[in-house]
Amino acid sequence: MSKQVVPHGLGVTPVRSAYQQIADQLRSLIVSGELSPGDRLPSEPELGQAFGVGRSTVREALRSLSSQHLVYTSRGVNGGTFVADVDPRTITAYLETSLGLLSASGLTVDELLTVREMLEVPAARLAATERTDDELAALRTAVEQENAESGTQHEHPQGFHILLLTCAHNGLLEVVTQPIFSVLKNRFLRGNAPSEFWDQVCLDHQGMVEAIDRRDADTAGELMQHHLHRLREAYLEMDRR
Amino acid sequence: MSKQVVPHGLGVTPVRSAYQQIADQLRSLIVSGELSPGDRLPSEPELGQAFGVGRSTVREALRSLSSQHLVYTSRGVNGGTFVADVDPRTITAYLETSLGLLSASGLTVDELLTVREMLEVPAARLAATERTDDELAALRTAVEQENAESGTQHEHPQGFHILLLTCAHNGLLEVVTQPIFSVLKNRFLRGNAPSEFWDQVCLDHQGMVEAIDRRDADTAGELMQHHLHRLREAYLEMDRR
DNA sequence: GGAAGTTAAACGTCTGACGTATTGCCGTCA
DNA sequence: TGACGGCAATACGTCAGACGTTTAACTTCC
């Protein structure tokens, strides 16, 4: 019988290796809250003795946890391994690379744009009602900068959208939306968009800023919707080529 | 904005340790696509020689990558380390633990529910238009099961929502919505909800299934909206206690 | 030709050692 | 007295080598 190779680590492995088991145990201590951010784990030799394994094994388990940003280590006396407190930017970064890979195989532009609409249209509405004056000023600055570099590279089209997300005052919204935005940008903005495209983008952004200025949620939402529909067409166009 | 000195690894470290540098280099090879899923990396000793480091160091770098599900290893002859292909479930799992930790410190119920509404209301609309007959049948089954265990534990309230997400036929939507749902559930459903609450939930679900049966997106969306509003009140109520 | 045993490649783990960063102590000196 | 500078201790970082374990391929024998 021909053995089918498991695509990746999903098939249940008969025995989990020692470093995995140790990582699992420590992880569950952390996510369950038995270990709080800032807590210091025993030193590597102590952990090794506690689990009955060598230091190499402990270190591999710790590397595993630290790459998930659950712990971090520092050297020197009073150094050691500490439980990390979660940073939303960590999650954003992970999502960005993961979704980037997914989009390279399996994830369609349409799916990305659909979810982006679900999030950014309400975000624009929220921004209109929740924004502070400082944030409004920052939005204006971003749009002006976009206008200034009209015709050139447009290096920072993300400025506006990300600022708008912060205006909504919802950390989770930022965390999930920003990676989607980045993936779309990285995948399809290879600098080969016509100049009129960017002019229209600037106009859209400007209109939204004014609606947000007036705290006009309905208009802001509608403008975002139209804006994203235009983007969809442009992206699909680029995708065909 | 009182912030601690260095929350965690963000302060620039003068020198990145060897295993981090190696992990970084390999990671960028993978995300840039120079290494494709299924490709086999050189053996650990070979990598060590190539990078000019010891095998332990290479292994720590590989552990780092494997915990991010970028590579997986298998033993035996013809074993080795291979570039993994991304599995959406991996992302879902990571998001679930990360958001769980975030919700333990900093993320409010309100934020979670707001984003959930943004995603699930359109999802219900999509489900109504995009569902297949098989999926509709599965939804019916889930609701019937809920009704059957009315008054008992309600172990599987997630069945309905997750099935509904799959009906939308948008992988990204599933990936981001499911963790939000799970976090809310784990955090607030400690089995201390009154029986009438569950009865109402079942009614809501049933109404949605019927709307989805008729491919009535407007009604499905509205029902989901009302459903989530009711949940919001219930969650906030529980949160106060 | 098929089943059972052998082999070899690669990962998994351990041990011990040495390097290096960091901190705190402590003594010296102005 | 107080500040500066060096020493020591601690804990992570890295290396080298050895041995165990897993697994697929090869070999042998019936």
Side-chain angles (χ1 to χ4, degrees):
Chain A
M1 285 302 131
S2 64
K3 297 248 176 141
Q4 183 59 25
V5 166
V6 177
H8 50 329
L10 289 183
V12 272
T13 320
V15 298
R16 290 178 71 67
S17 36
Y19 68 84
Q20 283 179 346
Q21 296 184 43
I22 293 174
D24 288 345
Q25 292 186 42
L26 291 177
R27 178 170 21 245
S28 74
L29 284 180
I30 294 173
V31 303
S32 74
E34 291 181 58
L35 292 172
S36 307
D39 282 0
R40 181 185 154 172
L41 301 179
S43 71
E44 291 171 355
E46 284 169 343
L47 281 174
Q49 242 182 348
F51 284 104
V53 300
R55 189 158 81 105
S56 329
T57 306
V58 168
R59 279 181 64 76
E60 293 190 32
L62 291 179
R63 276 308 76 69
S64 196
L65 295 178
S66 94
S67 89
Q68 296 182 313
H69 304 98
L70 292 175
V71 304
Y72 66 96
T73 64
S74 69
R75 298 172 67 172
V77 87
N78 287 5
T81 304
F82 302 84
V83 178
D85 40 4
V86 275
D87 182 345
R89 282 170 299 182
T90 294
I91 308 177
T92 300
Y94 176 84
L95 265 187
E96 201 169 315
T97 76
S98 294
L99 294 184
L101 287 172
L102 252 194
S103 91
S105 74
L107 200 59
T108 68
V109 203
D110 190 67
E111 289 174 295
L112 283 162
L113 280 164
T114 299
V115 177
R116 185 175 166 191
E117 262 181 53
M118 292 181 187
L119 293 166
E120 280 207 60
V121 171
R125 298 181 56 89
L126 276 176
T129 61
E130 305 295 326
R131 62 139 180 103
T132 66
D133 290 345
D134 286 349
E135 287 164 347
L136 178 63
L139 275 179
R140 281 203 187 287
T141 308
V143 171
E144 280 164 17
Q145 191 175 337
E146 278 177 6
N147 270 318
E149 64 187 26
S150 170
T152 68
Q153 263 92 323
H154 285 276
E155 276 303 317
H156 316 289
Q158 66 194 75
F160 176 80
H161 284 270
I162 289 181
L163 280 175
L164 188 139
L165 286 177
T166 68
C167 291
H169 295 151
N170 184 320
L172 178 58
L173 186 59
E174 288 182 62
V175 165
V176 299
T177 310
Q178 197 172 311
I180 296 174
F181 175 79
S182 294
V183 168
L184 278 168
K185 171 173 152 294
N186 289 332
R187 184 165 169 192
F188 296 101
L189 261 50
R190 297 285 179 234
N192 52 5
S195 166
E196 316 101 48
F197 172 79
W198 287 113
D199 293 345
Q200 182 64 54
V201 166
C202 286
L203 279 180
D204 289 351
H205 287 181
Q206 202 141 13
M208 279 186 256
V209 168
E210 279 156 26
I212 291 171
D213 185 348
R214 300 193 307 272
R215 297 195 185 281
D216 180 349
D218 289 339
T219 305
E222 273 175 39
L223 287 175
M224 178 63 85
Q225 180 100 37
H226 293 151
H227 178 57
L228 292 179
H229 277 176
R230 260 191 288 276
L231 283 183
R232 180 186 292 262
E233 284 169 25
Y235 283 162
L236 290 179
E237 172 73 21
M238 291 187 215
D239 208 22
R240 267 193 293 276
R241 290 186 305 190
Chain B
M1 44 153 71
S2 62
K3 207 50 186 154
Q4 309 100 300
V5 236
V6 167
H8 46 335
L10 291 183
V12 273
T13 319
V15 296
R16 291 178 70 68
S17 37
Y19 69 83
Q20 283 178 348
Q21 296 183 44
I22 293 174
D24 288 345
Q25 292 185 42
L26 291 178
R27 177 168 25 244
S28 74
L29 285 180
I30 294 173
V31 302
S32 74
E34 291 181 58
L35 292 172
S36 307
D39 282 1
R40 183 187 154 170
L41 300 179
S43 70
E44 291 170 355
E46 284 169 343
L47 281 174
Q49 239 182 347
F51 284 104
V53 300
R55 191 171 157 228
S56 325
T57 306
V58 168
R59 279 182 63 78
E60 293 191 30
L62 292 179
R63 279 305 79 67
S64 196
L65 294 178
S66 95
S67 90
Q68 295 180 315
H69 304 98
L70 293 175
V71 303
Y72 68 95
T73 64
S74 69
R75 299 174 69 173
V77 87
N78 286 8
T81 304
F82 300 83
V83 178
D85 40 4
V86 274
D87 181 345
R89 282 171 297 182
T90 292
I91 308 178
T92 300
Y94 176 84
L95 266 187
E96 201 168 315
T97 76
S98 294
L99 294 184
L101 286 172
L102 253 193
S103 92
S105 74
L107 201 58
T108 67
V109 202
D110 190 66
E111 289 174 294
L112 283 162
L113 280 164
T114 299
V115 177
R116 184 175 167 192
E117 262 181 52
M118 291 181 186
L119 293 166
E120 281 208 59
V121 172
R125 299 180 56 89
L126 277 176
T129 62
E130 306 293 325
R131 62 138 179 103
T132 65
D133 290 345
D134 285 350
E135 287 165 347
L136 177 64
L139 275 179
R140 281 203 186 287
T141 308
V143 171
E144 280 165 18
Q145 192 174 338
E146 278 177 6
N147 271 319
E149 63 186 27
S150 169
T152 68
Q153 264 92 322
H154 285 276
E155 277 302 318
H156 316 289
Q158 66 194 76
F160 177 81
H161 285 269
I162 289 181
L163 280 176
L164 188 139
L165 286 177
T166 68
C167 291
H169 294 149
N170 184 319
L172 179 57
L173 185 60
E174 288 181 61
V175 164
V176 299
T177 310
Q178 197 172 311
I180 296 174
F181 175 79
S182 294
V183 168
L184 278 168
K185 171 173 153 292
N186 289 333
R187 185 165 168 191
F188 296 102
L189 260 50
R190 297 286 179 235
N192 53 4
S195 165
E196 317 99 49
F197 172 80
W198 287 114
D199 292 345
Q200 182 63 56
V201 166
C202 285
L203 279 179
D204 289 351
H205 287 182
Q206 200 141 15
M208 280 186 256
V209 168
E210 279 157 25
I212 291 171
D213 185 350
R214 301 194 307 273
R215 297 195 183 280
D216 181 350
D218 288 339
T219 305
E222 272 175 41
L223 286 174
M224 178 63 85
Q225 180 101 38
H226 293 152
H227 178 57
L228 292 179
H229 278 176
R230 260 192 288 275
L231 283 183
R232 179 184 292 263
E233 284 168 27
Y235 283 162
L236 290 179
E237 171 73 22
M238 291 187 213
D239 208 22
R240 267 193 292 276
R241 291 186 303 191

